[in-house]
Amino acid sequence: MTLLLALAWTSPAEAAIRRFALVVGNNEGAASAQPLYFAEQDAKKMQSILTRQGEVQPEDLQMVLGGNRTQVLAALGTLKVRLAQAEAAGDDTILTFYYSGHADSVNLEIGRTSLAWTELADVLDHSGADVRIAFVDACQSGNLTRRKGGTLAPSFVFDVHERLDASGSVYLTSSASDESSQESDAIGGSYFTHFLASALSGTADDNRDGHVTLSETYRYVYHQTVFETSDTRGGTQHPTYDWELSGTGDVVIAELPRAGGTLSFSHLNPGTFTVFDPDRHVFIAEVEVADADRKLAVAPGHYLVQRRSPTWLEVHRVTVTEGTDVALSGEGFERVAYANDTAKGMIEADLTRAKLPRMSVRALLGGRGFVGHTLQYLPSSPLAGAEARFNWRKGPWASLDLLGGSGVGDLSVPGLDYTVRANVSSASLGLGLGYATPEARFRVGGGLHLEGLYIARSFPDAETHAQSAFGLAPGLEGWAGWYPRHFEVEFQMRTHYLPYIVDDERTGMLYSEVALALGWRF
């Protein structure tokens, strides 16, 4: 998973400092990669922090969720134009790039497309921003800090409280070049992003001055990530960082008073607290309270604060309004059983929903044709109907369709030299099961299809009774389509064999269906 982000704030100064950001999240990677559950949700969480505390104006922030390489580069191009305009106006500029998704040792895996680490670094370096700060949450993301042989150092090197007197780049990654970055079902996100969000909300403010610096952030995220992943199946994660800057001081990346409100934790009520937003089903932060008070910056809203003990939970529900500071004392907490852990229940429910298949509904328009000697008895006819399909993340799918149509044609009579006019109607209810390529803009799929087919024909120009038949027709189907976001355009083709009995003799006929499907994926 990859996450890049740059934050910096400034007090009023003679020259303006403009902040720009691109937030990218994608749950999908290469075809061989296991889909992620929380990458896009993590990206939304960081986008909220950027706009709430980072003073990034809406028009200066681009977000790409579930996109591809082309969309990411296009968004960077849009920001590059705005950066040039800001520079022309005499402003100092800071660019934040945040990406949450898959990666390997060479590339970011943005859906089924890729962007090389070296290319990403070059694009950021040539963006025109005075300062570029990148936080990368991805497997093997340490390859970004290795691109120029960077090494760790004790502090960062500029102060953005005044006019910027530095230029360059800073990179903070979630794991070393040969390590995986991990998600956690318990916290509903990645470890790295979870602790990064906590840090920027105030838990990394070691000296309690209301300012979170980049060095404070790195120390907090590094130690928390290493500790929490030390006993996981994926192994310990070691965040890394690198920079190429000139100047003096330390970069402030969050200022707590700039948020909508704060939660205050007293050292007289120590423990480990988790703050959860029940409206958005998101963990906000983890706060360690020991020998000093702590403050956590949050947006106005409703929050669930929990403190864990070995045998029970202590829970406090609070409401934060704009500009308020809510003090959390032991008096407001109530004991509940672990079975009543609301936060865990909501995250588990979200995870369950994420594992369920995605449903799409579509309208079908095409034709049904009979092949071989049956052409003598049944003319082809137009076809229309509807279909619902359920797609699982790893490729299996199931579908249910209802089709119908009617047509008119001339039928030949074997052994006689004349034809007869016939009206033919058909209706079918079908069930499909198969496998498709992973979710992407273009997909193909195939499988088995079983259809219950009803056929009726009448002869308006002949004194012959109308005829009808019903049977179960097994077959095969295949499809290919284009899937831009929720919209679906698909071409389908099916072939069936319908067995039947005539004069106590078993026989059958082949028929095919082709259709254009237009639909919507939920």
Side-chain angles (χ1 to χ4, degrees), residues 163-391:
R163 182 177 177 85
L164 289 177
D165 61 355
S167 63
S169 57
V170 176
Y171 300 93
L172 173 60
T173 75
S174 63
S175 59
S177 60
D178 58 350
E179 293 177 349
S180 296
S181 293
Q182 303 169 57
E183 290 187 317
S184 168
D185 293 351
I187 61 176
S190 78
Y191 288 103
F192 178 82
T193 303
H194 176 66
F195 292 117
L196 178 60
S198 295
L200 298 178
S201 297
T203 59
D205 183 19
D206 290 336
N207 59 5
R208 268 76 71 185
D209 64 352
H211 308 301
V212 180
T213 65
L214 193 49
S215 56
E216 286 177 326
T217 298
Y218 177 76
R219 284 195 298 270
Y220 179 84
V221 174
Y222 178 88
H223 290 296
Q224 293 295 325
T225 302
V226 169
F227 178 76
E228 292 294 333
T229 60
S230 59
D231 59 355
T232 62
R233 182 181 301 178
T236 305
Q237 267 179 245
H238 298 85
T240 67
Y241 69 83
D242 181 32
W243 78 93
E244 296 173 8
L245 290 172
S246 60
T248 59
D250 195 1
V251 56
V252 174
I253 60 174
E255 293 192 30
L256 305 190
R258 298 193 185 273
T262 54
L263 296 174
S264 293
F265 299 83
S266 171
H267 70 281
L268 299 177
N269 186 33
T272 300
F273 298 84
T274 57
V275 181
F276 184 76
D277 182 341
D279 295 332
R280 293 186 296 140
H281 294 201
V282 173
F283 272 109
I284 301 299
E286 266 187 34
V287 184
E288 293 277 356
V289 181
D291 56 352
D293 296 345
R294 290 285 185 178
K295 284 187 179 293
L296 184 73
V298 294
H302 305 289
Y303 295 93
L304 182 69
V305 183
Q306 295 184 161
R307 177 171 55 181
R308 294 177 176 268
S309 71
T311 55
W312 66 77
L313 284 173
E314 293 182 352
V315 178
H316 192 3
R317 296 179 182 272
V318 298
T319 298
V320 178
T321 57
E322 187 71 38
T324 62
D325 178 64
V326 178
L328 297 170
S329 65
E331 296 177 358
F333 287 82
E334 60 177 306
R335 292 185 180 184
V336 300
Y338 271 100
N340 297 323
D341 186 343
T342 303
K344 182 180 179 182
M346 287 184 173
I347 293 297
E348 289 177 345
D350 286 344
L351 184 60
T352 299
R353 283 192 292 271
K355 292 179 178 179
L356 292 175
R358 296 184 66 179
M359 186 183 76
S360 60
V361 295
R362 65 276 300 276
L364 283 72
L365 185 64
R368 176 178 282 144
F370 299 85
V371 298
H373 70 277
T374 54
L375 282 171
Q376 300 169 337
Y377 306 110
L378 296 169
S380 300
S381 64
L383 198 64
E387 179 185 48
R389 182 181 295 155
F390 302 87
N391 295 282

Side-chain angles (χ1 to χ4, degrees), residues 442-513:
F442 296 95
R443 302 181 71 198
V444 296
L448 304 176
H449 192 262
L450 179 64
E451 198 164 75
L453 178 66
Y454 172 81
I455 307 174
R457 67 177 182 176
S458 61
F459 306 93
D461 300 328
E463 296 182 0
T464 304
H465 293 295
Q467 301 170 327
S468 63
F470 174 81
L472 290 176
L476 301 173
E477 74 169 293
W479 45 265
W482 177 52
Y483 308 89
R485 300 298 292 172
H486 293 280
F487 190 62
E488 299 184 332
V489 180
E490 193 173 275
F491 175 77
Q492 303 180 355
M493 185 171 183
R494 301 174 181 142
T495 298
H496 294 86
Y497 178 75
L498 179 65
Y500 59 92
I501 299 175
V502 176
D503 297 330
D504 296 325
E505 181 180 348
R506 292 183 178 275
T507 183
M509 61 182 176
L510 291 172
Y511 67 94
S512 296
E513 299 163 347

Side-chain angles (χ1 to χ4, degrees), residues 8-236:
W9 290 267
T10 175
S11 300
E14 185 176 358
I17 297 179
R18 289 274 299 278
R19 286 152 294 277
F20 300 82
L22 172 60
V23 177
V24 181
N26 199 315
N27 289 331
E28 302 295 331
S32 60
Q34 179 77 14
L36 300 167
Y37 289 108
F38 303 113
E40 294 178 20
Q41 183 168 302
D42 281 344
K44 293 177 183 178
K45 181 188 298 185
M46 298 310 299
Q47 182 263 356
S48 176
I49 289 177
L50 281 169
T51 54
R52 188 181 74 238
Q53 294 172 246
E55 292 188 342
V56 178
Q57 299 302 313
E59 63 271 18
D60 292 334
L61 186 143
Q62 298 279 312
M63 185 158 70
V64 179
L65 294 179
N68 56 35
R69 165 196 169 91
T70 300
Q71 291 171 298
V72 171
L73 292 178
L76 280 168
T78 299
L79 289 176
K80 188 173 181 179
V81 172
R82 298 191 66 82
L83 282 160
Q85 294 170 344
E87 291 284 351
D91 297 332
D92 294 328
T93 55
I94 301 170
L95 173 64
T96 296
F97 184 90
Y98 173 102
Y99 172 87
S100 177
H102 277 289
D104 59 24
S105 61
V106 178
N107 303 303
L108 302 180
E109 297 175 358
I110 310 174
R112 294 296 179 265
T113 63
S114 62
L115 180 66
W117 294 110
T118 53
E119 185 178 4
L120 170 64
D122 288 342
V123 169
L124 294 177
D125 287 346
H126 293 89
S127 64
D130 295 313
V131 174
R132 289 82 59 194
I133 307 176
F135 294 94
V136 185
D137 187 351
C139 294
Q140 304 182 54
S141 53
N143 284 284
L144 182 61
T145 61
R146 290 181 57 193
R147 68 188 180 96
K148 293 184 179 179
T151 57
L152 303 183
S155 65
F156 289 89
V157 291
F158 68 96
D159 186 344
V160 296
H161 283 79
E162 304 297 338
R163 182 177 177 85
L164 289 177
D165 61 355
S167 63
S169 57
V170 176
Y171 300 93
L172 173 60
T173 75
S174 63
S175 59
S177 60
D178 58 350
E179 293 177 349
S180 296
S181 293
Q182 303 169 57
E183 290 187 317
S184 168
D185 293 351
I187 61 176
S190 78
Y191 288 103
F192 178 82
T193 303
H194 176 66
F195 292 117
L196 178 60
S198 295
L200 298 178
S201 297
T203 59
D205 183 19
D206 290 336
N207 59 5
R208 268 76 71 185
D209 64 352
H211 308 301
V212 180
T213 65
L214 193 49
S215 56
E216 286 177 326
T217 298
Y218 177 76
R219 284 195 298 270
Y220 179 84
V221 174
Y222 178 88
H223 290 296
Q224 293 295 325
T225 302
V226 169
F227 178 76
E228 292 294 333
T229 60
S230 59
D231 59 355
T232 62
R233 182 181 301 178
T236 305

